[in-house]
Amino acid sequence: MCGIVGYTGTEKAEGVIADSLTLLEYRGYDSAGLALAGSKSRSIDIYKCAGRVSDLRSLLDRNMKLEDREATCGVGHTRWATHGGVTDTNAHPHRVGTVTLVHNGIIENFRELTEEFRLKGKLKSETDTEVVAGVLDSFYAESEDPKKAIVQTLKVIKGTFALVIMFANYPDVIFAVRNVSPIVATQSEQGSMLASDLTALTRFTDRYFVIPEYTIAELHRSALYLWTMDGKPVDPEWCTMDWEKNSSDKGGYPFYMEKEINEQPDSIRKTIESRLKNGLPDFSVDEIDDSIFEDTDNITVAACGTAMHTGLVFQNLARKMLKTEVKVCLASEYMYESPVVGDKTLLIAVSQSGETIDTLQAVKYAKERGARTLGIINVRGSSIARECEGVLFTNAGPEIAVASTKAYTTQLSLLYLVIAKIAMVKGLWDDKKVREFTESLVKTPESVSNVLEEKNDIHIIARNILEARDLFMIGRGLDYAALQEGSLKLKEVSYIHSEAYASGELKHGPIALITQETPVVALATQESLLKKELSNVREVRSRGASVVLFVKEAMSEGLEQEFNIVRLPDLPDEFMVFPAACALQLLAYYVSSDKGFDVDKPRNLAKVVTVE
Ligand code: AGP
């Protein structure tokens, strides 16, 4: 999950790369570094350190050679450590001999390669990456041909990689090659550039292409080339970003997370509006044929984290509204559960980044066994998007904060449309019922806006749980599904050990953990479950817990006498997940920001998990 960038062009490389690393820092922020070339001395100078990009900038201010300030070619890296601790030495770039490179991924046979190429004496770090540099340098020493050395290296390394490489004798040229780990690239008047994802490329242009796997990219100042492993030229498949340029800045908010929470009404609206025609779900703009739903009779959602939580909501709705069973699998577990997969299986892969390797592997596993595959994805051109038979793209724009917010609600909005589409193609609902359903969906952006208007009330609630070490979130049915996501948000940005629990299950053990120091967040939006939910809330309160009850407005009458409540704007029960999600996102955000944490970059996390 590291951030990688390479640039060769007319601008000063140090500025382009450092700025790009700041934009990519959400992919990993244990350490940062860059290498600069193209200077007269023909040396490639490396500057790197443990810490953030800001620490790298300070290092550059102190130590950068004068001639490097004029360098116009370089590579950069922000690291999420996989091999070797967080140290200056283990930071990327790494150099062995004439080869300098950065890497995102995991080389599985780096120990064998260290022996085979007798690299022990040459290595300074504990990383698998430095071993690749050593192997490349060994091959380059034989031929002094960069592309030949790369091809030879690709034949011996095993694992996932995005390698961005510089050779001392080619100071204005950058080479790159990938397997699974992503690299996108572009060419503009300012030069040639590549990066782990589009966020860093919006600076110069909205055109880009994905470097195909096992294809060598050769970037020059005013041209770029793609070569197959046997040396044949390949044309890039150019795409256009559907993001506004520079939409990757904070827009005046202190953190991206707050910006992205506030973007949700617009992003949900944008995601829905192009898929509704005359009130009926229509995926023709996505070129998704109805047969993907008609010809399948069992549905599995495979995803991770927040994306998986959308599957829990989808499962609840499918059972309740379509009388249709849906399996929801943690993508990292999917293939190890020996799932029953066939040509009647529809695998729905939900992923913001489209690069989560666990989810990608699940898609490949299901496809190999004949399943139809549908992606619900935010990033065009991503690996999972390219792997799936069909993709519904969320129109959320770049999501930079590690904690996923607008991706969740836009993924949900597409899954709600899938519910309506299945109901139509399977003949379960008439058009009138479908329209009633979509009319409620179209109201969700406004309900989220209403929650945003009440954010100060939620901020006050947040202040009451700042000191908590443990916290329970309790609810039933759809509320329990929504709380799984609310609990993850709080956990990952505030470090409070929050646990979502089915309210009725607490008394079977976990209630033993309830004390006066254990705040409880309860969610009640399902009319039919209110009485039971209130009984469970009384149970935990009688054991000393302080409880805040998020409750649907229409169900809240009189409850303020007995409980500390936050009212959520009314929608039909099945749609209350949207306002509830926004309220719980705000709760997590305010707890984290009031605790003084870097909300966008929580410890130990990275935005995209490209290691299994
Ligand atoms: C959610 O806030 C986390 N950032 C994480 O759980 C994330 O949802 C998960 O890693 C899946 O990422 P994806 O949607 O890019 O596949």
Side-chain angles (χ1 to χ4, degrees):
M1 300 66 89
C2 305
I4 285 182
V5 61
Y7 172 73
T8 179
T10 57
E11 314 271 310
K12 289 185 180 152
E14 178 245 337
V16 172
I17 291 171
D19 291 349
S20 302
L21 291 181
T22 300
L23 289 171
L24 291 170
E25 201 168 21
Y26 72 115
R27 297 179 62 92
Y29 28 91
D30 292 333
S31 57
L34 56 81
L36 297 170
S39 57
K40 296 178 194 56
S41 69
R42 299 176 71 80
S43 70
I44 294 178
D45 296 318
I46 293 176
Y47 304 89
K48 62 182 186 178
C49 60
R52 296 290 173 87
V53 174
S54 54
D55 300 309
L56 174 64
R57 287 180 189 274
S58 307
L59 176 72
L60 291 165
D61 289 345
R62 290 195 308 273
N63 300 353
M64 188 157 71
K65 293 177 186 170
L66 212 52
E67 65 190 48
D68 283 339
R69 292 192 189 284
E70 302 308 315
T72 57
C73 177
V75 297
H77 187 272
T78 55
R79 184 175 181 232
W80 187 83
T82 54
H83 287 77
V86 179
T87 64
D88 295 353
T89 308
N90 288 337
H92 300 207
H94 290 283
R95 174 171 50 220
V96 177
T98 59
V99 173
T100 300
L101 58 71
V102 293
H103 167 228
N104 175 25
I106 287 192
I107 303 301
E108 291 161 4
N109 61 336
F110 76 101
R111 286 191 178 75
E112 297 85 334
L113 292 170
T114 302
E115 297 305 318
E116 186 182 340
F117 287 82
R118 298 192 183 80
L119 297 173
K120 240 185 186 46
K122 295 183 181 177
L123 304 179
K124 302 184 189 72
S125 77
E126 305 160 293
T127 66
D128 54 346
T129 303
E130 194 182 13
V131 172
V132 177
V135 172
L136 256 171
D137 182 57
S138 305
F139 283 126
Y140 180 76
E142 291 166 13
S143 64
E144 298 212 339
D145 176 337
K147 292 199 286 291
K148 189 171 178 194
I150 291 170
V151 169
Q152 289 172 293
T153 301
L154 293 184
K155 287 178 179 164
V156 297
I157 64 174
K158 293 190 182 73
T160 62
F161 49 84
L163 294 167
V164 182
I165 309 157
M166 297 168 76
F167 293 86
N169 297 337
Y170 298 78
D172 290 328
V173 185
I174 290 173
F175 295 87
V177 68
R178 63 178 281 263
N179 176 40
V180 180
S181 300
I183 311 180
V184 289
T186 189
Q187 229 289 324
S188 69
E189 283 163 19
Q190 290 82 13
S192 302
M193 190 169 181
L194 56 78
S196 316
D197 66 47
L198 296 176
T199 321
L201 294 192
T202 56
R203 175 190 189 105
F204 291 136
T205 175
D206 60 1
R207 290 176 71 239
Y208 71 98
F209 65 91
V210 176
I211 297 177
E213 290 181 329
Y214 287 98
T215 298
I216 299 170
E218 182 180 344
L219 277 65
H220 293 252
R221 184 175 294 188
S222 52
L224 58 79
Y225 309 94
L226 294 179
W227 308 99
T228 60
M229 291 278 277
D230 51 10
K232 293 192 180 62
V234 182
D235 290 333
E237 283 181 36
W238 289 97
C239 309
T240 303
M241 279 176 234
D242 60 348
W243 299 347
E244 292 79 44
K245 268 178 72 177
N246 300 325
S247 57
S248 309
D249 61 36
K250 288 184 194 168
Y253 288 96
F255 293 105
Y256 282 108
M257 186 175 175
E258 184 173 2
K259 175 191 173 195
E260 289 154 8
I261 290 172
N262 281 276
E263 286 177 333
Q264 290 182 113
D266 280 350
S267 49
I268 296 168
R269 205 169 283 119
K270 267 191 241 167
T271 300
I272 294 171
E273 63 192 7
S274 60
R275 280 92 177 208
L276 278 178
K277 283 210 174 37
N278 191 19
L280 301 177
D282 181 311
F283 298 148
S284 47
V285 70
D286 309 283
E287 295 174 356
I288 303 278
D289 188 77
D290 285 357
S291 69
I292 202 168
F293 304 109
E294 277 163 342
D295 302 348
T296 51
D297 60 17
N298 65 91
I299 301 173
T300 296
V301 175
C304 302
T306 290
M308 186 276 283
H309 295 153
T310 66
L312 300 176
V313 174
F314 179 71
Q315 176 187 59
N316 185 287
L317 292 173
R319 286 171 174 168
K320 187 175 166 186
M321 304 184 85
L322 307 181
K323 304 289 176 271
T324 300
E325 184 51 71
V326 168
K327 269 197 72 181
V328 181
C329 294
L330 289 169
S332 55
E333 290 290 306
Y334 177 65
M335 66 177 82
Y336 307 110
E337 293 172 345
S338 309
V340 176
V341 185
D343 58 7
K344 292 289 184 196
T345 301
L346 171 59
L347 184 98
I348 300 178
V350 185
S351 176
Q352 188 284 131
S353 63
E355 297 298 347
T356 299
I357 195 164
D358 290 326
T359 310
L360 178 63
Q361 303 294 58
V363 171
K364 289 180 176 176
Y365 181 91
K367 269 179 80 175
E368 283 157 13
R369 288 156 181 78
R372 311 290 294 271
T373 52
L374 174 66
I376 307 267
I377 294 168
N378 195 39
V379 180
R380 291 175 186 277
S382 58
S383 303
I384 301 171
R386 291 200 309 283
E387 194 64 38
C388 287
E389 170 190 342
V391 182
L392 291 169
F393 285 104
T394 48
N395 300 111
E399 185 178 74
I400 308 295
V402 165
S404 195
T405 52
K406 62 179 181 175
Y408 176 75
T409 47
T410 50
Q411 288 159 0
L412 279 181
S413 61
L414 287 176
L415 287 168
Y416 274 67
L417 287 171
V418 169
I419 288 284
K421 174 60 83 173
I422 292 172
M424 278 176 70
V425 301
K426 299 278 190 189
L428 301 171
W429 295 353
D430 61 20
D431 284 2
K432 181 172 177 294
K433 182 158 184 175
V434 173
R435 288 195 176 95
E436 277 168 11
F437 182 84
T438 60
E439 273 158 23
S440 297
L441 184 60
V442 167
K443 291 174 185 162
T444 55
E446 186 188 349
S447 77
V448 170
S449 296
N450 294 342
V451 173
L452 292 169
E453 285 161 17
E454 305 302 323
K455 59 187 170 186
N456 293 335
D457 294 349
I458 295 170
H459 198 163
I460 292 163
I461 302 288
R463 290 221 173 90
N464 299 335
I465 60 175
L466 287 186
E467 302 312 316
R469 281 172 43 78
D470 303 295
L471 180 144
F472 277 94
M473 292 193 176
I474 63 173
R476 288 171 173 259
L478 206 50
D479 290 336
Y480 174 43
L483 287 171
Q484 307 266 356
E485 172 54 18
S487 180
L488 174 62
K489 284 287 91 56
L490 185 65
K491 237 193 290 260
E492 64 178 328
V493 296
S494 76
Y495 316 144
I496 291 173
H497 183 196
S498 168
E499 205 165 343
Y501 239 93
S503 308
E505 182 60 16
L506 270 178
K507 54 188 175 296
H508 300 287
I511 203 165
L513 294 175
I514 296 289
T515 70
Q516 286 175 342
E517 277 72 53
T518 321
V520 171
V521 171
L523 179 61
T525 69
Q526 306 299 298
E527 190 88 36
S528 61
L529 299 172
L530 179 62
K531 281 197 174 53
K532 286 196 173 62
E533 180 60 20
L534 293 179
S535 307
N536 299 141
V537 171
R538 291 180 183 114
E539 283 160 15
V540 295
R541 201 178 51 177
S542 66
R543 283 154 181 83
S546 62
V547 181
V548 60
L549 173 62
F550 287 79
V551 58
K552 176 174 166 179
E553 172 99 34
M555 296 160 43
S556 66
E557 192 176 341
L559 293 181
E560 69 280 358
Q561 267 104 37
E562 188 185 355
F563 302 103
N564 177 13
I565 68 170
V566 175
R567 290 182 173 83
L568 296 172
D570 285 337
L571 283 173
D573 290 9
E574 297 78 10
F575 296 83
M576 285 302 295
V577 180
F578 288 88
C582 183
L584 295 166
Q585 290 163 358
L586 287 169
L587 182 70
Y589 171 75
Y590 285 126
V591 173
S592 179
S593 54
D594 283 5
K595 291 178 85 165
F597 294 158
D598 181 347
V599 182
D600 290 335
K601 303 186 191 77
R603 67 186 181 204
N604 306 340
L605 295 182
K607 182 64 179 174
V608 184
V609 183
T610 54
V611 292
E612 287 182 278

